């Protein structure tokens, strides 16, 4: 089993979004991560401007610190780093100007963007263009799950060629081979267009951290070298940047 695994996209903080509602549930998730050699995760609660899920950077950092203290007390070998999953918006310049958005790891210039699951992605493109002009690095969360990119992969490749990074979700690779999200995710890995592979876990039951079986299937599907690249090397470089 690989070591030093890093999950850059998970919903482990209690009570902030559609992740765990209690600290006990967060602890269960943390135990599942640690048992599989994942010792760093970036907590990425949703930031959706104008909704109840518009958690401030300060709120996220405080929640991370509180959960980390609990994990340390329970001797769970997992370090939680702050971050956000930021819904794309035409107001992105204003949001950055207000200083309320949190980069992955809590520092630096790398931000996780969530595209809309519907439409032709105008808000994503506008958000990306603004960020690139301002020397900010966008990572698009789970583009393989977006119907527009499933039908128009060339548009996703164009964004990658401009300097955008992408994060695939493990469940997409583990999905049935005939599914559109599986086919696009596998193609992006095989053509070396993917940068990160993350769980997007939300609980210890349904959308949960990967277990030993899931890790084994991922290694069989894309090879141990690719898992190392997407789940260890690139995420560790992100945390150290």
């Amino acid at each position: 089993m690989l070591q030093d695994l890093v999950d850059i996209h998970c919903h482990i903080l209690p009570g902030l979004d559609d992740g765990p509602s209690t600290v006990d549930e967060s602890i269960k998730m943390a135990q599942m991560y640690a048992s599989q050699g994942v010792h760093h995760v970036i907590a990425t609660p949703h930031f959706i401007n104008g909704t109840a899920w518009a958690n401030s950077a300060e709120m996220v950092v405080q929640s991370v610190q509180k959960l980390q203290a609990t994990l340390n007390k329970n001797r769970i070998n997992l370090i939680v780093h702050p971050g956000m999953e930021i819904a794309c918006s035409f107001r992105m310049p204003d949001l950055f100007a207000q200083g309320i958005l949190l980069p992955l790891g809590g520092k630096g210039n790398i931000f996780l963007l969530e595209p809309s699951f519907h439409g032709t992605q105008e808000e994503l493109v506008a958000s990306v263009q603004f960020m690139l002009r301002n020397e900010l690095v966008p990572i698009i969360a789970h583009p393989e799950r977006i119907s527009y990119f499933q039908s128009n992969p060339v548009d996703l490749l164009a964004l990658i060629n401009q300097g955008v990074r992408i994060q695939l979700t493990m469940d997409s690779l583990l999905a049935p081979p005939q599914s559109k999200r599986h086919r696009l995710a596998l193609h992006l890995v095989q053509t070396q267009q993917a940068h990160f592979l993350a769980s997007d876990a939300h609980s210890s039951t349904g959308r949960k951290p990967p277990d030993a079986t899931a890790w084994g299937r991922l290694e069989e599907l894309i090879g141990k070298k690719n898992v190392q690249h997407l789940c260890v090397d690139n995420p560790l470089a992100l945390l150290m940047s």
Side-chain angles (χ1 to χ4, degrees):
M1 184 171 64
L2 291 170
Q3 295 296 315
D4 299 320
L5 293 157
V6 181
D7 193 340
I8 72 160
H9 181 178
C10 73
H11 300 260
I12 194 173
L13 300 179
L16 293 189
D17 58 4
D18 56 343
S21 58
T22 66
V23 175
D24 287 343
E25 181 67 12
S26 297
I27 291 173
K28 290 178 183 177
M29 292 179 66
Q31 290 170 327
M32 295 174 74
Y33 277 119
S35 72
Q36 296 302 313
V38 180
H39 298 306
H40 292 267
V41 299
I42 301 180
T44 53
H46 291 283
F47 180 95
I48 306 176
N49 190 50
T51 74
W53 290 354
N55 302 289
S56 68
E58 292 78 10
M59 184 183 300
V60 174
V61 170
Q62 289 172 8
S63 184
V64 166
Q65 292 172 341
K66 188 174 181 179
L67 178 59
Q68 189 66 64
T70 300
L71 299 183
N72 294 345
K73 182 179 179 180
N74 286 274
R75 298 183 179 179
I76 299 173
N77 186 14
L78 182 72
I79 298 175
V80 182
H81 304 266
M84 285 178 173
E85 182 181 12
I86 304 163
C88 293
S89 168
F90 289 122
R91 292 198 60 228
M92 199 66 75
D94 294 335
L95 298 176
F96 273 101
Q98 295 171 35
I100 58 179
L101 302 180
L102 195 61
L104 291 180
K107 58 182 177 63
N109 66 339
I110 304 175
F111 294 81
L112 183 67
L113 300 184
E114 181 176 37
S116 171
F117 280 88
H118 308 285
T120 54
Q121 304 304 316
E122 288 92 345
E123 287 183 301
L124 171 63
V125 171
S127 298
V128 163
Q129 290 176 344
F130 166 79
M131 293 180 67
L132 293 175
R133 287 197 303 270
N134 288 273
E135 299 183 345
L136 302 169
V137 180
I139 298 177
I140 301 177
H142 48 66
E144 81 285 356
R145 292 165 54 193
I146 307 302
S147 59
Y148 179 81
F149 289 132
Q150 292 170 357
S151 301
N152 301 276
V154 65
D155 289 352
L156 178 60
L157 297 179
L159 293 174
I160 295 171
N161 289 335
Q162 293 175 40
V164 173
R165 303 179 190 179
I166 63 169
Q167 169 258 304
L168 303 176
T169 302
M170 295 173 184
D171 278 351
S172 295
L173 287 170
L174 300 176
Q178 67 272 19
S179 66
K180 292 181 180 180
R181 60 180 175 137
H182 171 88
R183 293 203 303 265
L184 180 53
L186 186 59
H187 173 74
L188 291 168
V189 173
Q190 291 175 336
T191 57
Q192 299 182 348
Q193 300 288 340
H195 304 87
F196 304 95
L197 182 61
S199 72
D200 194 6
H202 281 63
S203 73
S204 64
T205 53
R207 299 169 66 182
K208 61 185 180 180
D211 57 17
T213 299
W215 284 113
R217 288 179 61 198
L218 286 170
E219 289 190 16
E220 290 177 4
L221 183 65
I222 64 173
K224 190 171 184 177
K225 182 179 291 186
N226 276 324
V227 176
Q228 171 81 27
H229 181 63
L230 299 171
C231 300
V232 180
D233 300 339
N234 285 354
L236 284 176
L238 184 157
L239 288 176
M240 292 186 294
S241 63

